[in-house]
Amino acid sequence: IEAAFAARLASEARLKESDRHLRQFVADASHELRTPIAAVAAYAELFERGASTNAEDLPRVISGIRSETGRMERLVTDLLELARLDEGLPLQIRATELVGLCAEAVRTATTVGPLWPVTFTAAHPVEVLGDPARLRQVVDNLLANVRAHTPEGTSATVHVDQAGPMARVVVHDNGPGMPAEDAARVFERFYRSDPARGRAHGGTGLGLSIVSAIVFAHGGTVSAESAPGRGMTVTVSLPVVAAVVDAEESDA
């Protein structure tokens, strides 16, 4: 009876915590949407007051509306992405070679953000069972996070290796870093150690949350380490193909 009662109390505590997280998530999403909506309303008011006929004001108004609607679109897209991942969005699982996948992501990142140089290292091919598109999204988001939250000229490295039954993708930057307690929370939804800086770069505060959700869906883990002045290191660990096959055979 005592065990059943303790289990019930634990279940109720988990439900309360889940409800708290849901309420916080809704509040954070509402807060993030409020600013661009208010900005679009302000630009619309300027338009109505005569900016449409003013050669100097019109480009500023149009540019502002496009910028803020683009920000809302990114936020809504990320919210939908997380909702699908939370519901267990089916993954297109197949054998995926991580070295080639990460190399392509680095080439793209270098093209998109040439002011944030990225180098890539890997000693040998590493194969996992996963959804190539989703795993590519993980690396893309990590490199986009570097561009969004470090100054121009910050360099980064992407390293792929294997430690026992786990493949590792390590993304390190030499940016300003952050306190360890902030690094421990970067995968929380809408969490920013510097909210103003995140908004200035157009971030939604959900990129690393999506990374965490995708990695978890693949049976992996992700962690971040940082300290002021020492940059940040994010490590993604995923089961390699052999480890996944061995686990399935053991279950059988």
Side-chain angles (χ1 to χ4, degrees):
I1 293 175
E2 288 180 355
F5 184 69
R8 178 180 176 181
L9 289 178
S11 178
E12 290 177 351
R14 287 194 297 270
L15 286 174
K16 288 181 180 179
E17 183 66 12
S18 178
D19 182 65
R20 186 185 69 80
H21 281 301
L22 178 59
R23 290 176 182 275
Q24 185 63 48
F25 180 70
V26 171
D28 288 340
S30 300
H31 177 74
E32 292 294 326
L33 282 168
R34 184 182 304 163
T35 300
I37 289 173
V40 170
Y43 283 125
E45 185 176 349
L46 283 175
F47 189 86
E48 291 175 347
R49 289 182 177 180
S52 59
T53 58
N54 189 318
E56 295 182 358
D57 290 341
L58 183 58
R60 178 170 64 89
V61 169
I62 297 300
S63 175
I65 290 174
R66 285 177 176 170
S67 175
E68 296 301 330
T69 54
R71 181 175 158 190
M72 284 189 285
E73 181 181 8
R74 290 191 297 273
L75 177 58
V76 170
T77 298
D78 284 349
L79 287 170
L80 288 173
E81 182 84 3
L82 281 170
R84 293 190 182 108
L85 288 168
D86 287 345
E87 292 176 358
L89 179 68
L91 299 173
Q92 304 300 315
I93 300 295
R94 61 174 182 267
T96 302
E97 204 282 296
L98 278 182
V99 172
L101 181 146
C102 290
E104 291 178 359
V106 168
R107 285 195 291 270
T108 299
T110 303
T111 302
V112 172
L115 297 178
W116 290 266
V118 185
T119 57
F120 176 69
T121 60
H124 54 77
V126 180
E127 195 171 57
V128 299
L129 280 179
D131 185 324
R134 294 293 179 179
L135 294 179
R136 171 62 187 271
Q137 186 178 4
V138 165
V139 185
D140 287 342
N141 281 16
L142 292 176
L143 292 174
N145 189 68
V146 174
R147 296 193 299 272
H149 299 295
T150 64
E152 295 178 356
T154 298
S155 62
T157 60
V158 177
H159 178 70
V160 178
D161 63 15
Q162 182 176 339
M166 303 299 287
R168 297 192 308 173
V169 179
V170 182
V171 179
H172 172 75
D173 68 71
N174 66 352
M178 63 177 65
E181 55 269 26
D182 287 335
R185 299 184 59 192
V186 293
F187 299 104
E188 295 179 15
R189 298 175 184 186
F190 293 113
Y191 181 76
R192 293 190 182 98
S193 61
D194 184 350
R197 182 178 62 181
R199 292 191 181 93
H201 287 78
T204 63
L206 295 173
L208 293 184
S209 298
I210 291 173
V211 166
S212 178
I214 293 174
V215 172
F216 180 78
H218 282 80
T221 61
V222 60
S223 62
E225 296 180 1
S226 186
R230 297 178 57 186
M232 174 179 282
T233 300
V234 177
T235 302
V236 174
S237 297
L238 298 163
V240 297
V241 167
V244 174
V245 172
D246 290 343
E248 291 177 348
E249 291 177 349
S250 298
D251 291 340

